[in-house]
Amino acid sequence: MSAAPADARREEIAIRASADASSRAPVLVFFATAVAWLLFGSLAGELASLALHWPDLLGFASFLTFGRIRTAHLNAMIYGWASLAMCGVSLWMIPRLVHQQLSWPRLAMAGAALWNVGLVIGIGGILAGRNDGLEWLEMDRALADPWLVAGGACVGIPLLATLARRTVDHLYVSVWYVIGAFLWFPVLFLVGNWPFGGVESAAVNWFYAHNALGLWLTAVNVGAAYYFIPKVLGRPVYSYQLSLLGFWTLAFFYALNGMHHLIGGPLPTWMITTSIVASVLMIIPVVAVAVNHHMTVVGRFAALRYSPTLRFVVIGAMAYTAVSLQGMFTALREVNRITHFTQWTIAHSHVGVYGFVTFVLFGSMYYVLPRLAGREWPSARLIQWHFWLSLGGIGLYVVALTVVGVLQGLVLLEPSAPFQRSVEVTIPGLYARSLAGLVLGAGHLLFALHCAALLRAPARRAMPALLEARPVVVRDAGAVQEPAS
Amino acid sequence: MIPSSVAVVAMVLLLGASALALFVWAWRRGQFDHLDEQSRAVFDARDPRIERPWESEAQRRERERAHGPPLPAQPGEWGGAA
């Protein structure tokens, strides 16, 4: 690589700069609105948590009751924060990886606007009492969902068009994950919202909800981890074969997973059992990804002290392994009979959506935003605070709810125990969750303020070179100084 | 019981078949060839040459042997603050 001609390197830098420039505006809009939904979702989550141990606290307003505010929290986090930030990361990564400008960036901007309109209508509707009654699909299917479908299409089409115009033959593994997610999710969302009835509705609901996690949230964020870990470390993934094995086994097996949520429900036993088997088969992509990420970082863990991007993404990758293994065991009937209908499930879902997805997205944004803004993060200390508040908050959250979840499940299985006892054993965990929510919310507030400070900084640094492409300076024969990537 | 599962079974088959079709396309287009080379597609020419302050002397020498003289890392290189 060092022997590459200077002209080729200049061309490479120009391609990267034009790819970044083409995606800059839509990515910034997606990130900005994602952070706004993160703050709203955090507040809603905290209020929902408080309502569980202080049930009369918010009873004066119907929109603050648990059934509405908890649902608003979930939708704000999944479709607001995570999905919008994932769109931003995807729109930034794909042009870079296929060496092409983003096609139709204005269409992507329109997508951000439409998606946000859908969210305002959908989540506003939930707070007003309009709820479709399906897990992860509570937003009104007639008033809100069409906006989301149109908005999603406006993001997916530019990505696919960019892919079609690529100037490289090979698709890096991150491209597979991201493009796969953008092909799968529209199908899942449309099918999930189809008005099935009776038992079929429950089956399709969990087919959707679990696949939204595995083929949307997981796919984009594993793809992002495969981009940022090697990029920061400056070394390729340990085994590219394993990375492809991970992607293709996810693509083949994951769709069967969702039915394990209905263990004990009125579905054919073969269907549940097939889903449990598929859940256990997930060990193949999970171990493939875990081994690959670990072996890529091994020997360089000191890098986590230097790079917030790497710190967040590596912790996120670890959480992916943890949540996937936990999910596999939870799918087994012997474990499920204890954990089903308990706080364990809430802890498990937060390891996934927060420990994995949100951490990878934070890490990605720490890398991408300075390069788009053309200036560096104003404060290393704020990044440190954000990291430790996030890690401490989610650690407390998960430990507390996991412990009380098991206790709750054991009490529920005790025939002589009154139901009231199964609630009482969770109360310490519920208080701990509210505390953890405050800690996480403080971290989110710092992150939002830091993002605003970065974007509003009046002047560029004297030496912002790493953040933007600049003219190549030839020092002496053959020695070329390029800007940072 | 079976009628209650038709939609999910159909969707699983559809997703599986589309994954299979994509896999065949990828195989025919040579997406699984030259994997070592492809694993480096994430890098620009400059990436592997940047000095990594966390690397040991041996790791630094290995990087220099493989990629040439190191380039100094610039402020905020790793996504941090200056």
Side-chain angles (χ1 to χ4, degrees):
Chain A
M1 221 173 267
S2 62
D7 284 351
R9 283 192 219 157
R10 284 194 195 94
E11 189 184 350
E12 188 182 66
I13 291 161
I15 289 169
R16 192 191 67 223
S18 72
D20 282 1
S22 68
S23 64
R24 181 177 183 275
V27 172
L28 285 175
V29 171
F30 272 103
F31 281 172
T33 53
V35 172
W37 283 110
L38 174 70
L39 293 180
F40 172 81
S42 305
L43 177 63
E46 183 62 17
L47 292 176
S49 180
L50 292 173
L52 281 181
H53 52 80
W54 292 334
D56 298 328
L57 180 70
L58 304 168
F60 59 89
S62 59
F63 69 93
L64 292 177
T65 49
F66 181 80
R68 298 189 192 181
I69 199 77
R70 179 262 175 193
T71 312
H73 159 69
L74 184 146
N75 282 271
M77 286 309 198
I78 301 297
Y79 300 105
W81 156 244
S83 294
L84 287 169
M86 284 157 50
C87 287
V89 172
S90 303
L91 288 167
W92 184 82
M93 273 197 314
I94 294 297
R96 276 189 158 217
L97 285 168
V98 302
H99 292 198
Q100 182 57 272
Q101 289 187 336
L102 178 69
S103 300
W104 306 320
R106 287 184 183 171
L107 187 61
M109 295 270 279
L114 292 170
W115 189 277
N116 276 289
V117 169
L119 286 173
V120 170
I121 294 172
I123 295 174
I126 289 168
L127 291 173
R130 290 184 70 96
N131 185 323
D132 279 358
L134 294 170
E135 187 79 14
W136 283 46
L137 289 168
E138 292 91 348
M139 287 189 282
D140 192 296
R141 68 165 60 96
L143 296 179
D145 290 349
W147 295 89
L148 297 179
V149 171
C154 290
V155 181
I157 289 169
L159 280 177
L160 293 173
T162 307
L163 183 71
R165 293 173 51 234
R166 69 188 185 276
T167 59
V168 294
D169 283 333
H170 173 253
L171 302 180
Y172 184 68
V173 64
S174 299
V175 178
W176 281 113
Y177 274 109
V178 170
I179 296 300
F182 275 88
L183 292 175
W184 288 319
F185 189 60
V187 178
L188 296 170
F189 194 73
L190 289 171
V191 172
N193 273 296
W194 197 263
F196 293 99
V199 173
E200 193 168 29
S201 174
V204 173
N205 186 198
W206 279 111
F207 167 80
Y208 167 77
H210 210 83
N211 283 318
L213 178 69
L215 297 179
W216 172 238
L217 298 176
T218 296
V220 171
N221 286 287
V222 170
Y226 270 122
Y227 181 86
F228 289 106
I229 292 176
K231 191 80 173 167
V232 172
L233 288 174
R235 62 195 311 223
V237 292
Y238 170 70
S239 163
Y240 196 69
Q241 289 91 331
L242 269 184
S243 70
L244 291 178
L245 177 75
F247 171 76
W248 287 105
T249 45
L250 184 89
F252 282 122
F253 299 138
Y254 200 91
L256 291 161
N257 269 240
M259 296 308 107
H260 68 228
H261 282 266
L262 296 169
I263 291 174
L267 282 172
T269 303
W270 66 264
M271 205 169 169
I272 305 281
T273 304
T274 305
S275 177
I276 293 172
V277 171
S279 303
V280 174
L281 277 176
M282 280 299 100
I283 199 163
I284 299 171
V286 169
V287 169
V289 171
V291 167
N292 225 1
H293 286 164
H294 177 77
M295 294 303 290
T296 304
V297 183
V298 80
R300 269 103 174 152
F301 276 102
L304 271 64
R305 294 210 319 269
Y306 292 83
S307 168
T309 293
L310 199 66
R311 195 182 299 180
F312 275 102
V313 173
V314 167
I315 298 285
M318 290 175 175
Y320 170 67
T321 307
V323 74
S324 304
L325 294 175
Q326 189 189 25
M328 255 181 279
F329 287 111
T330 306
L332 299 174
R333 286 188 175 88
E334 292 73 14
V335 179
N336 201 270
R337 63 194 285 269
I338 298 173
T339 61
H340 208 169
F341 303 124
T342 72
Q343 298 291 338
W344 166 287
T345 309
I346 319 300
H348 172 62
S349 61
H350 279 76
V351 178
V353 177
Y354 199 95
F356 164 44
V357 170
T358 295
F359 264 63
V360 171
L361 290 173
F362 282 149
S364 305
M365 289 172 73
Y366 275 120
Y367 192 91
V368 175
L369 269 175
R371 285 160 171 79
L372 293 183
R375 51 184 84 93
E376 191 47 84
W377 289 100
S379 166
R381 181 165 293 188
L382 274 181
I383 299 175
Q384 293 274 10
W385 271 99
H386 174 218
F387 174 76
W388 288 111
L389 287 170
S390 299
L391 189 64
I394 193 62
L396 174 62
Y397 191 111
V398 170
V399 169
L401 289 193
T402 300
V403 170
V404 300
V406 173
L407 295 175
Q408 184 184 14
L410 292 173
V411 175
L412 283 170
L413 287 175
E414 176 61 54
S416 61
F419 182 78
Q420 174 72 13
R421 228 183 90 210
S422 73
V423 177
E424 287 167 357
V425 295
T426 66
I427 289 175
L430 301 182
Y431 279 105
R433 168 164 62 184
S434 293
L435 177 61
L438 281 178
V439 174
L440 291 171
H444 299 162
L445 194 58
L446 287 184
F447 178 63
L449 292 172
H450 206 186
C451 288
L454 170 72
L455 297 175
R456 289 171 60 89
R460 296 183 173 207
R461 297 177 324 161
M463 288 292 291
L466 79 153
L467 308 173
E468 56 189 11
R470 42 171 203 161
V472 174
V473 180
V474 179
R475 285 170 170 164
D476 50 40
V480 179
Q481 183 184 353
E482 299 98 340
S485 45
Chain B
M1 285 291 189
I2 289 293
S4 67
S5 328
V6 168
V8 170
V9 172
M11 281 313 301
V12 167
L13 290 175
L14 176 69
L15 288 180
S18 58
L20 185 63
L22 210 57
F23 182 82
V24 170
W25 175 86
W27 187 276
R28 288 187 174 166
R29 291 295 297 261
Q31 292 290 331
F32 305 121
D33 299 339
H34 315 297
L35 294 182
D36 283 345
E37 182 188 328
Q38 293 176 2
S39 70
R40 289 187 284 274
V42 70
F43 298 127
D44 300 322
R46 179 179 177 276
D47 283 326
R49 288 180 57 194
I50 306 170
E51 283 177 335
R52 263 79 179 173
W54 55 79
E55 287 186 340
S56 66
E57 193 52 43
Q59 289 170 338
R60 211 166 291 152
R61 277 199 301 272
E62 183 188 325
R63 182 177 294 284
E64 188 168 349
R65 268 200 306 277
H67 303 291
L71 297 169
Q74 297 179 36
E77 187 78 68
W78 325 112

